[in-house]
């Protein structure tokens, strides 16, 4: 891929590539992928950048999630930007506040914050070929040559459809909207959900609450988190010898892709190793056979996103913890009523009920060619071409878009590779004087057909579980091939898969719309 620095005249205009001017680029979101986009686009010579951020600071998911026990399940050395490796990580698996600080430090160091419009959500994007009209939450309108969605995968909290949810008289909040003013010590706390977020919270707070009632719908497989605190001498070595940082990055990258990536996408031997580790962890950590039976899933390990956690089992075994497996009938002003007729009185109710995994850039209204509405096109089953583009939406690119690799991998690495792919598209436009690029419908259809055909070989589809990976289509919205294949494809774009549009007004003069 040609990544040399480009020289452009200043300012944007229609047909920027023909005119030899800088393309005006809007980036929606200032989380990890938005930060990566700005840094790498600048390195490639694209400098007319504006980032729209709905909140008051960068960080994305690490800004919004501030619950107790929050940590990353990807090793810190790999969960890092390649252009800003961090020698000072305090733990092998970093905790949320440290990752957020790293995001803020990176954004400041590389001047990302200077081009961010904070507290400015994007409400509408409309394609007016060859530009996009962008309307923000303040009602201001701007036109851009290229739009990059960097909104992330999980950012829109999902609230359970339970009768009486709004009637609860105690303190109640979603884990992504943690209320730090609420006192937990000595109180009767209930938590709905047992996913990764819930497991971390339960492990962090059960020892200090009066009673912890965990309402479990489905048990989860968990693998011990091999946590380690880095000594000051090790940090010094990392600072002194940057090559060690790169070696460590590559080690964890290759280890995670080779093992967990392979286990989820068809390697039965690797999958058996994961199952064995999870089963042994449960058997060793839970002595009570009744409790162990309640915590034993009926599906294959890694079918849902694998949970790395060492604190949940000890916490749920405490005398003040109750694992409740009867279904929830309704929520009352005083607590939760279950199907056995029992009322579990609560002072605090925590909703660990996840996110809308089908939202992506939605609820922003995105309208492409011929009035095509993105939300209507997806209809609850979002798909994309190579997780970055959509037919009918020229010059609109997504980072961490639908059908991308997600499970137990570093989304920073994935985002960086996707930015490289977008840069390849921009370079192609510049070199050939193109006004727009969009995936062909035939390419989109063939790509997603191949993924649907491969999905049954993954543990997500064959493991016997239901998870947030599944959307309205009934298939997991994930990349079903080995993740290394996707990462390599991002550096080897096939331009025959795209409409290369030389003149929007005259039609697809280069390659047609097929």
């Amino acid at each position: 891929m040609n990544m040399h620095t480009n020289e452009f005249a200043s300012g944007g205009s229609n047909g920027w590539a023909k005119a030899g001017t800088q393309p005006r680029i809007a980036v929606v979101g200032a989380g990890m992928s938005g930060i990566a986009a700005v840094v790498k686009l600048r390195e490639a010579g694209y400098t007319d950048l504006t980032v729209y951020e709905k909140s008051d600071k960068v960080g994305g998911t690490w800004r919004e999630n501030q619950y107790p026990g929050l940590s990353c399940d990807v090793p810190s050395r790999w969960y890092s930007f390649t252009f800003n490796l961090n020698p000072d990580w305090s733990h092998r698996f970093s905790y949320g506040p440290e990752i957020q600080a790293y995001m803020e430090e990176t954004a400041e160091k590389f001047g990302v914050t200077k081009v961010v419009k904070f507290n400015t959500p994007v409400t509408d994007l409309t394609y007016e070929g060859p530009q996009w009209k962008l309307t923000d939450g303040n009602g201001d309108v701007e036109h851009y040559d290229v739009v990059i969605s960097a909104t992330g995968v999980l950012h829109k909290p999902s609230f359970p459809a339970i009768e009486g949810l709004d009637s609860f008289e105690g303190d109640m909040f979603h884990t992504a909207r943690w209320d730090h003013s609420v006192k937990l010590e000595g109180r009767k706390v209930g938590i709905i959900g047992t996913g990764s977020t819930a497991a971390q919270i339960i492990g962090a707070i059960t020892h200090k609450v009066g009673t912890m009632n965990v309402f479990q719908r489905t048990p989860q497989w968990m693998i011990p988190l091999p946590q380690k605190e880095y000594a000051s001498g090790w940090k010094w070595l990392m600072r002194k010898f940057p090559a060690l940082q790169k070696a460590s990055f590559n080690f964890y990258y290759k280890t995670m892709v080779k093992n967990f990536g392979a286990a989820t996408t068809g390697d039965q031997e690797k999958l058996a190793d994961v199952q064995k580790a999870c089963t042994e962890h449960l058997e060793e950590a839970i002595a009570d056979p009744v409790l162990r039976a309640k915590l034993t899933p009926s599906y294959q390990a890694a079918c849902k996103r694998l949970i790395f956690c060492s604190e949940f089992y000890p916490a749920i075994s405490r005398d003040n913890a109750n694992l409740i497996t009867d279904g929830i009938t309704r929520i009352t002003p005083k607590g939760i009523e279950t199907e056995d007729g029992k009322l579990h009185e609560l002072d605090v109710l925590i909703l660990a009920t996840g996110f809308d995994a089908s939202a992506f850039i939605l609820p922003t209204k995105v309208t492409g060619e011929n009035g095509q509405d993105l939300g209507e096109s997806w209809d609850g089953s979002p798909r994309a071409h190579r997780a970055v583009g959509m037919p009918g939406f020229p010059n609109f690119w997504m980072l961490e878009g639908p059908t991308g690799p997600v499970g137990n991998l570093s989304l920073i690495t994935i985002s960086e590779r996707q930015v490289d792919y977008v840069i390849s598209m921009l370079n192609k436009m510049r070199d050939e004087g193109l006004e727009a690029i969009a995936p062909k419908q035939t390419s989109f259809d063939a790509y997603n057909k191949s993924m649907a055909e491969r999905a049954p070989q993954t543990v997500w589809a064959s493991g016997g579980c239901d998870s947030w990976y599944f959307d309205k289509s009934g298939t997991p919205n994930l990349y079903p091939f080995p993740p290394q294949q996707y990462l390599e494809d991002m550096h080897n774009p096939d331009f025959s898969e795209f409409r290369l549009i030389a003149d929007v007004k005259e039609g697809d003069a280069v390659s047609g719309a097929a």
Side-chain angles (χ1 to χ4, degrees):
M1 185 180 73
N2 183 5
M3 295 289 291
H4 64 271
T5 300
N6 309 306
E7 296 295 332
F8 295 96
S10 61
S13 63
N14 286 350
W16 65 271
K18 288 183 178 180
T21 59
Q22 276 280 351
R24 297 197 72 207
I25 302 175
V27 179
V28 184
M32 69 182 79
S33 55
I35 293 170
V38 172
V39 175
K40 293 180 77 69
L41 283 164
R42 280 178 175 162
E43 287 179 347
Y46 299 98
T47 58
D48 192 343
L49 308 169
T50 304
V51 181
Y52 290 80
E53 171 52 53
K54 64 183 178 181
S55 187
D56 60 351
K57 56 184 175 182
V58 304
T61 189
W62 300 106
R63 176 197 65 233
E64 296 190 6
N65 288 277
Q66 301 178 10
Y67 58 81
L70 171 63
S71 66
C72 188
D73 58 6
V74 176
S76 308
R77 300 293 183 203
W78 184 27
Y79 198 81
S80 303
F81 295 109
T82 56
F83 50 81
N84 192 33
L85 296 179
N86 179 18
D88 294 318
W89 288 120
S90 65
H91 289 79
R92 177 181 287 156
F93 295 87
S94 295
Y95 293 97
E98 187 173 12
I99 299 175
Q100 173 61 16
Y102 172 66
M103 293 292 162
E104 293 180 11
E105 183 271 333
T106 301
E108 284 294 329
K109 178 178 178 180
F110 289 87
V112 176
T113 51
K114 294 179 181 179
V115 297
V116 180
K117 291 187 175 183
F118 291 106
N119 299 306
T120 310
V122 175
T123 57
D124 187 276
L125 288 165
T126 301
Y127 184 64
E128 297 179 345
Q131 291 191 311
W132 283 88
K133 183 178 76 172
L134 182 152
T135 305
D136 66 32
N138 300 318
D140 295 331
V141 176
E142 293 283 350
H143 286 81
Y144 291 94
D145 299 298
V146 177
V147 173
I148 299 174
S149 170
T151 57
V153 183
L154 304 176
H155 63 90
K156 184 180 178 183
S158 177
F159 292 85
I162 301 175
E163 179 186 339
L165 182 65
D166 294 334
S167 70
F168 184 63
E169 295 177 347
D171 296 305
M172 180 177 70
F173 48 84
H174 192 280
T175 56
R177 303 290 184 267
W178 193 271
D179 189 342
H180 293 278
S181 70
V182 174
K183 179 184 176 183
L184 299 175
E185 287 77 6
R187 304 182 77 190
K188 292 177 286 187
V189 177
I191 186 165
I192 298 176
T194 50
S196 179
T197 294
Q200 291 179 345
I201 293 169
I202 293 163
I205 70 173
T206 300
H207 69 282
K208 64 182 179 182
V209 305
T211 305
M212 171 60 78
N213 291 307
V214 179
F215 296 87
Q216 173 185 276
R217 183 179 64 177
T218 306
Q220 304 274 348
W221 285 115
M222 299 187 190
I223 199 165
L225 182 73
Q227 186 61 288
K228 174 184 179 180
E229 184 172 2
Y230 291 124
S232 57
W234 183 243
K235 297 176 188 177
W236 179 86
L237 282 173
M238 286 288 177
R239 286 193 298 272
K240 185 71 172 177
F241 303 103
L244 285 177
Q245 297 182 60
K246 294 181 180 179
S248 185
F249 177 98
N250 290 329
F251 169 77
Y252 284 113
Y253 168 21
K254 293 178 181 178
T255 298
M256 295 293 285
V257 168
K258 180 180 178 181
N259 290 286
F260 289 103
T264 55
T265 56
D267 189 321
Q268 295 302 311
E269 184 177 346
K270 297 293 185 184
L271 186 58
D273 291 341
V274 172
Q275 182 68 66
K276 180 181 178 182
C278 291
T279 302
E280 290 178 349
H281 183 209
L282 176 60
E283 292 175 347
E284 293 172 1
I286 303 296
D288 181 355
V290 176
L291 179 59
R292 191 190 311 137
K294 290 182 178 181
L295 291 169
T296 302
S298 60
Y299 54 85
Q300 170 72 54
C303 182
K304 294 175 180 283
R305 183 182 177 103
L306 194 60
I307 298 176
F308 286 75
C309 187
S310 300
E311 289 77 31
F312 174 79
Y313 288 149
I316 201 65
S317 300
R318 293 178 63 92
D319 292 339
N320 68 328
N322 302 307
L323 182 68
I324 301 160
T325 57
D326 293 289
I328 296 174
T329 302
R330 64 183 58 86
I331 295 175
T332 74
K334 299 301 181 183
I336 293 180
E337 184 179 309
T338 47
E339 291 175 349
D340 59 357
K342 184 176 181 180
L343 175 64
H344 304 269
E345 294 189 358
L346 303 173
D347 301 315
V348 181
L349 176 56
I350 301 170
L351 305 175
T353 48
F355 300 84
D356 179 357
S358 296
F360 295 96
I361 193 173
L362 307 179
T364 299
K365 183 174 177 59
V366 184
T367 306
E369 294 175 303
N370 303 315
Q372 184 177 348
D373 182 272
L374 185 63
E376 293 178 359
S377 297
W378 282 346
D379 188 26
S381 299
R383 294 292 182 269
H385 184 61
R386 301 197 179 277
V388 296
M390 279 288 294
F393 294 81
N395 301 342
F396 174 75
W397 306 103
M398 292 174 282
L399 307 178
E400 299 174 30
T403 65
V406 174
N408 297 106
L409 300 172
S410 172
L411 289 185
I412 296 180
T413 292
I414 294 165
S415 294
E416 284 199 42
R417 294 292 183 94
Q418 290 172 333
V419 175
D420 290 343
Y421 194 79
V422 174
I423 290 171
S424 295
M425 299 297 153
L426 295 176
N427 288 349
K428 184 74 169 178
M429 293 178 70
R430 178 204 65 210
D431 295 343
E432 298 188 10
L434 303 175
E435 289 199 343
I437 293 183
K440 296 177 182 178
Q441 185 67 49
T442 51
S443 302
F444 171 89
D445 292 341
Y447 181 74
N448 284 282
K449 180 182 178 183
S450 71
M451 297 220 295
E453 291 173 346
R454 183 64 162 70
Q457 298 180 42
T458 69
V459 68
W460 308 307
S462 64
C465 72
D466 187 17
S467 72
W468 62 264
Y469 293 150
F470 286 81
D471 56 26
K472 187 177 177 180
S473 71
T475 57
N477 192 351
L478 291 172
Y479 185 75
F481 300 99
Q484 185 60 33
Q485 179 177 328
Y486 181 84
L487 295 173
E488 291 173 357
D489 286 346
M490 288 293 96
H491 277 176
N492 296 284
D494 181 355
F495 292 107
S496 70
E497 298 174 351
F498 293 86
R499 295 166 53 203
L500 307 178
I501 307 169
D503 191 327
V504 171
K505 294 180 181 179
E506 296 179 6
D508 305 334
V510 174
S511 62

